[in-house]
């Protein structure tokens, strides 16, 4: 039977039978954009791709149409299996013979429903598999880890010297991380890093005193030395009081977090941080009293007057309660999208923190969607300034010669721009300085990954460009504070295609 007879038998038009669908040119354009985006951003799913095409590029394609093409291209994110290390000859595990002989500690992590990661620090006794401590938070710095180990030692018994030494190593790692954040972190991270340096330094000192106390206790035990004036007891007292001061630093961090939350009208998180600060304040007082009671005659007999619990015990309870409240505060804290909404025209943030224009709102939304951040700081470099002032006080000025710089100011520009996004954008950054006569001059530019010195003015050092960190461009320049009073940075980001649509255009004063 031929096609004509078959179509007549089933009442089907021959034109309909021979019709072949012709794909629209727009479908090919959607395919091209989806392939480009998923190739550049390998962790982007359909939602981010569609939001980018709709809000950033301005295409009016239907959500169902883009989703259908996305599925036909099979661009769904693939779950990669974890690679596991294969040990040819595993080391035999030592079996402890009694409790409090071998402890094991490990870190675990998971994600919340909103995508934020949280970590757990676990300490187990290998003999009976008893859980000695479990710490849960979105961030577990080394100070928190050392504090947890010290709390276990207080009620479980003194561990080996290796555990205390491990605490000192963790504090050194915390100091290194805080120093790195001071250079490459955001403004909030740098503020937290300053307090983290102080807390980690005190924790390192406390850990060192604990090591000294362990050594002197062992020597006094060998020599059968007993008495209230032993060096070990004084070291124990000093370590306890320094630990109390370290807890007070957590009080300051809670106060800063509460103030920052109030600026954006995040009242529930601010209240939680205030409660956490008062709890940590009580914990610091309990730790201080516990150290004094231990020095006077033992923490086991010096109770706090309630429920027959020692001062150290109350300190442990309050610290744990403060960590729980801090975890709740982090859950209540606004996400970046909610923070942007609070600063919009219809938001409830303070008037001085709002964007106050639809253009600025759109630019900030573009930065939020693309993962772009810009920060500029023009401040005094106190270390060099104080060092130069001390050196100038000890030497006589040279008549007729060039005077040494006694006031150094630092201009720092930080631009977070994803590596995969840079080929798709045209970006330009210019740095200008204003002298004491209110005369401004452009001194440095950074355009499409290339830095250039536009002008070399008297009293200005050569700018330093640092691109060692992923997605971060750091430009640092030191100037004479007696010649220059302020700086200004202008950032412009356009599309790399022929349209050159402006995505971000912002001027930062310092």
């Amino acid at each position: 039977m031929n096609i004509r007879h078959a179509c007549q038998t089933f009442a089907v038009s021959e034109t309909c039978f021979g019709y072949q669908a012709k794909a629209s040119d727009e479908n090919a354009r959607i395919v091209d954009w989806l392939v480009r985006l998923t190739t550049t951003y390998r962790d982007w799913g359909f939602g981010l791709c569609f939001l980018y095409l709709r809000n950033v590029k301005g295409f009016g394609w239907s959500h169902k149409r883009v989703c259908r093409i996305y599925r036909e291209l099979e661009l769904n994110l693939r779950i990669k299996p974890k690679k596991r290390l294969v040990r040819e000859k595993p080391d035999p595990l030592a079996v402890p013979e009694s409790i409090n002989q071998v402890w094991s500690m490990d870190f675990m992590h998971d994600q919340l429903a909103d995508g934020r990661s949280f970590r757990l620090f676990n300490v187990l006794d290998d003999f009976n598999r008893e859980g000695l401590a479990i710490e849960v938070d979105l961030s577990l710095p080394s100070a928190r880890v050392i504090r947890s180990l010290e709390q276990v030692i207080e009620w479980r018994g003194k561990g080996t010297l290796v555990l205390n030494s491990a605490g000192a190593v963790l504090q050194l790692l915390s100091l290194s991380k805080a120093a790195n954040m001071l250079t490459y972190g955001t403004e909030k991270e740098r503020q937290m890093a300053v307090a983290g340096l102080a807390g980690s330094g005190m924790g390192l000192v406390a850990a060192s005193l604990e090591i000294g106390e362990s050594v002197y206790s062992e020597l006094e035990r060998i020599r059968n030395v007993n008495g209230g004036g032993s060096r070990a007891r004084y070291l124990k007292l000093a370590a306890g009081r320094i630990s109390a001061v370290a807890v007070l630093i957590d009080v300051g961090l809670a106060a800063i977090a509460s103030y920052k939350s109030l600026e954006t009208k995040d009242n529930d998180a601010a209240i939680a941080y205030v409660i956490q600060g008062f709890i940590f304040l009580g914990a610091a007082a309990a730790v201080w009293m516990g150290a004094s009671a231990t020095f006077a005659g033992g923490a086991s007999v010096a109770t706090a007057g309630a429920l027959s619990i020692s001062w150290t015990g109350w300190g442990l309870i309050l610290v744990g309660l403060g960590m729980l409240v801090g975890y709740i505060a982090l859950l209540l804290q606004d996400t970046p999208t909610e923070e942007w909404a609070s600063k919009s025209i219809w938001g409830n943030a303070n008037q001085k923190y709002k964007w106050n224009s639809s253009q600025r709102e759109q630019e900030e939304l573009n930065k939020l969607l693309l993962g772009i951040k810009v920060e500029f700081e023009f401040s005094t470099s106190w270390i060099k300034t104080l060092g130069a002032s001390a050196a100038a006080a000890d030497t006589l000025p040279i008549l007729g010669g060039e005077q040494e710089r006694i006031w150094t100011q630092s201009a720092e520009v930080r631009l977070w721009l994803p590596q995969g996004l840079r080929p798709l954008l045209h970006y330009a950054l210019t740095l200008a300085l204003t002298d004491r006569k209110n005369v401004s001059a452009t001194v440095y530019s950074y355009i499409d990954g290339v830095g250039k010195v536009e002008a070399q003015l008297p009293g200005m050092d050569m700018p330093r460009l640092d691109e060692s960190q992923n997605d971060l461009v750091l430009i640092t320049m030191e100037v004479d504070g007696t010649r220059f009073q302020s700086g200004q940075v202008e950032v412009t980001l356009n599309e790399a295609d022929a349209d050159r649509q402006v995505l971000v255009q912002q001027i930062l004063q310092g």
Side-chain angles (χ1 to χ4, degrees), residues 135-162:
E135 294 289 336
V136 183
D137 207 334
L138 296 183
S139 176
L140 290 176
S142 59
R144 185 79 58 82
V145 175
I146 294 174
R147 188 188 310 154
S148 301
L149 294 176
E150 290 177 348
Q151 293 169 3
V152 176
I153 292 173
E154 286 290 338
W155 68 269
R156 181 75 175 185
K158 190 176 301 182
T160 61
L161 190 63
V162 178

Side-chain angles (χ1 to χ4, degrees), residues 103 146 149-150 153 157-171 203-204 206-215 236:
W103 292 352
I146 294 174
L149 294 176
E150 290 177 348
I153 292 173
K158 190 176 301 182
T160 61
L161 190 63
V162 178
L163 272 178
N164 290 332
S165 299
V169 172
L170 291 174
Q171 289 289 0
L204 183 61
S208 303
L209 293 177
E210 286 282 352
I211 295 175
E213 187 266 339
S214 301
V215 173
K236 187 69 175 179

